[in-house]
Amino acid sequence: MRTYVVLLRGVMPYGRNKVPMATLRAILSEAGLGDVQTYIQSGNVIARSELEREDIEALVHDEIRERIGASISVIARTAEHFRMIFEQNPFADSESARTYFSLFDKHPSREQREKFLLTDFSPDTVQLVDDALYTLYHTKLSDSRFTNSFFEKQLKVTATSRNFNTMSKLVELSAV
C-alpha cells in the first residue's frame, strides 16, 4: 500500500464547499482508504491505498459529492512525489511565509507553459516545474494578482495551492 497526500481545492470551514474533516475521515475510511488522517480544515488528507493516483482522486471526489453534497476538485500525490515537490522548492533560502506551492491535476500543455512563462510576475517570483508551481510573493498572497485562479486560467488546469507551513506539515505527516 502507498501513502497519498490528497488535496481538496477550495474547501472552506463554512458555506458551499464545507467539508467537515471528521466526516471526511469517516467516509474515506468506509470507502476503503487506510490510516486516514486530515490536517486543518482546508482539505488536506493523508491516506493509504493500493489504488493508483487517478483512482484515489476519483474515489475521494465521488465520496464527497455523494455523501457530503459538494463537488470538490481533488489532487493526489504519493508521499514520495509530494516530498520531492517540497524538496525542489527553488525558494528554500527565502522567507517561508511568502512561499506557496500550487499542484495541478495534470501537466499543462507545452503551449500553455510557454505562454505562461512569458508573464511578468514582478514583484513576485514564479517558477514552474512539471506539475507544480512555486511562488515567492513579494509581500503576501493577498496583495498579489497571481492567485490560484489566475494560474488555472492561464495554464488551463485545475490547481490547488498550499503555503510552506502546510506543505511542510503534510510532508512530515506522510513520511513512510
Side-chain angles (χ1 to χ4, degrees), residues 132-150:
L133 182 86
Y134 303 87
T135 307
L136 177 63
Y137 289 101
H138 180 69
T139 56
K140 57 187 176 183
L141 168 69
S142 61
D143 290 341
S144 179
R145 69 183 184 102
F146 303 112
T147 63
N148 196 67
S149 295
F150 175 87

Side-chain angles (χ1 to χ4, degrees), residues 31-47:
L33 298 184
D35 303 323
V36 178
Q37 54 183 316
T38 57
Y39 175 67
I40 63 177
Q41 289 293 315
S42 59
N44 305 293
V45 179
I46 315 276

Side-chain angles (χ1 to χ4, degrees), residues 25-37:
R25 286 190 301 274
I27 66 172
L28 295 179
S29 293
E30 290 171 17
L33 298 184
D35 303 323
V36 178
Q37 54 183 316

Side-chain angles (χ1 to χ4, degrees), residues 110-122 126 128 145-146 150 154-155:
R110 181 179 176 162
E111 177 183 319
Q112 293 301 338
R113 290 172 63 91
E114 290 172 358
K115 182 178 175 185
F116 178 79
L117 292 172
L118 294 175
T119 305
D120 178 6
F121 293 102
S122 36
V126 172
L128 180 60
R145 69 183 184 102
F146 303 112
F150 175 87
Q154 297 300 310
L155 293 167

Side-chain angles (χ1 to χ4, degrees), residues 63-80:
E63 288 294 322
I64 292 171
R65 186 186 67 232
E66 292 170 16
R67 307 269 306 270
I68 297 176
S71 184
I72 304 286
S73 295
V74 177
I75 296 173
R77 297 293 181 268
T78 64
E80 294 82 12

Side-chain angles (χ1 to χ4, degrees), residues 15 17 49-50 57 59 64 75 92 106 110 149:
N17 284 340
S49 177
E50 292 181 4
E57 292 170 343
L59 173 82
I64 292 171
I75 296 173
K106 61 184 177 187
R110 181 179 176 162
S149 295

